[in-house]
Amino acid sequence: MAANFFNRIGQMGLGVALLGGVVNSALYNVEGGHRAVIFDRFSGVKQQVSGEGTHFFIPWVQRPIMYDIRSQPRNVPVITGSKDLQNVNITLRILYRPIPDELPKIYTILGQDYDERVLPSITTEVLKAVVAQFDAGELITQREMVSQKVSETLIERASQFGFILDDISITHLTFGKEFTLAVEMKQVAQQEAEKARFLVEKAEQQKKASIISAEGDAGAAELLAKSFAEAGDGLVELRRIEAAEDIAYQLSRSRQVAYLPSGQNMLINLPTNLTQ
């Protein structure tokens, strides 16, 4: 009796375990920020997209395919040409994510690696078309306009494949070696031209200063000649007295100059009869 009871309990436990295994194999979880597309072996890709949470599916017959619908970054480097035929190395940073309702279409046409199949090609296409409208100088001075045109065109192009582009920015923009060398040579030439212009202006200023000085000397000489003609030697004597006064004043301020009386006994103050 007891043996039969335990056998029944064992059979029930085995049945529950088998049932639990079957139920567990028919469940799948969709994590946060993800969506699932169901592929059916008989009807193909289901158009219904499974949201976050736990869902049922038919084992072996159906298979869930997970997609991350959060924004993901990607850098796309492109080498293209400008309007003036200069080589341009440009890198675009893109934040992209798929449109959840478009996931069945994306899986059917592109598969799970949709970003690898689409983003590089459409980014290269758009950049080549936009950059060709500007020359090398405009790509630098009008970078904001270039970025805006690239963003508008690329967003429209990506929407055709079921993508949303949250942000597009130009992170790297360089030119070929020939253009870079030409820019450096142009900068050196401009610096040399500025230096030459400065030297010319300096020479002109020095010339004007020399002319003004010469005119002043000529005017002074003319005044002196006129004064000599009017005053004769009296003016010369006056200038001589003024010069002597100036020299005497300068010597009086010097500590190394001593004034001695004139005569033969200026060093020894002795009577004249003692010296005889």
Side-chain angles (χ1 to χ4, degrees), residues 83-101:
K83 186 177 180 180
D84 53 352
L85 303 180
Q86 298 294 336
N87 290 328
V88 182
N89 300 320
I90 186 169
T91 300
L92 213 60
R93 185 179 184 273
I94 303 172
L95 284 178
Y96 69 95
R97 56 188 173 90
I99 301 174
D101 294 337

Side-chain angles (χ1 to χ4, degrees), residues 31-34 67-73 96-98 114 166:
E31 302 294 336
H34 292 71
Y67 278 91
D68 189 346
I69 62 170
R70 295 170 296 185
S71 294
Q72 303 177 62
Y96 69 95
R97 56 188 173 90
Y114 62 93
D166 294 321

Side-chain angles (χ1 to χ4, degrees), residues 18 45 53 59 61 73 114-115 164 170 192 211 228 236 251:
L18 291 174
V45 179
V61 176
Y114 62 93
D115 55 333
I164 296 176
I170 298 175
E192 293 293 335
I211 293 173
F228 286 147
V236 176
L251 291 176

Side-chain angles (χ1 to χ4, degrees), residues 163-183:
F163 296 173
I164 296 176
L165 303 183
D166 294 321
D167 182 68
I168 302 171
S169 58
I170 298 175
T171 59
H172 182 73
L173 178 63
T174 58
F175 300 93
K177 294 182 179 179
E178 296 80 5
F179 180 77
T180 304
L181 181 60
V183 171

Side-chain angles (χ1 to χ4, degrees), residues 172-218:
H172 182 73
L173 178 63
T174 58
F175 300 93
K177 294 182 179 179
E178 296 80 5
F179 180 77
T180 304
L181 181 60
V183 171
E184 292 177 353
M185 293 178 64
K186 181 179 179 180
Q187 291 177 346
V188 171
Q190 289 177 346
Q191 292 175 357
E192 293 293 335
E194 290 292 332
K195 182 179 179 180
R197 186 173 65 180
F198 172 75
L199 293 176
V200 170
E201 292 178 354
K202 182 179 179 181
E204 290 179 354
Q205 294 296 328
Q206 290 177 347
K207 180 181 178 181
K208 291 180 180 180
S210 299
I211 293 173
I212 294 172
S213 177
E215 291 176 351
D217 292 342

Side-chain angles (χ1 to χ4, degrees), residues 22 42 47 64 86 108 133 174 237 240-241 244 249 255 263:
V22 172
F42 300 105
Q47 295 302 312
Q86 298 294 336
T108 302
Q133 302 175 17
T174 58
E237 188 65 25
R240 185 181 300 170
I241 293 172
Y249 175 74
R255 296 181 179 181

Side-chain angles (χ1 to χ4, degrees), residues 84-145:
D84 53 352
L85 303 180
Q86 298 294 336
N87 290 328
V88 182
N89 300 320
I90 186 169
T91 300
L92 213 60
R93 185 179 184 273
I94 303 172
L95 284 178
Y96 69 95
R97 56 188 173 90
I99 301 174
D101 294 337
E102 297 289 333
L103 288 177
K105 177 183 175 182
I106 292 175
Y107 179 73
T108 302
I109 298 175
L110 302 174
Q112 289 185 275
D113 57 344
Y114 62 93
D115 55 333
E116 292 287 345
R117 295 173 179 266
V118 175
L119 284 179
S121 60
I122 65 174
T123 302
T124 302
E125 174 191 348
V126 170
L127 281 177
K128 286 181 178 293
V130 173
V131 171
Q133 302 175 17
F134 300 86
D135 57 35
E138 292 173 343
L139 289 174
I140 298 175
T141 58
Q142 302 180 21
R143 183 166 177 166
E144 184 177 353
M145 181 183 296

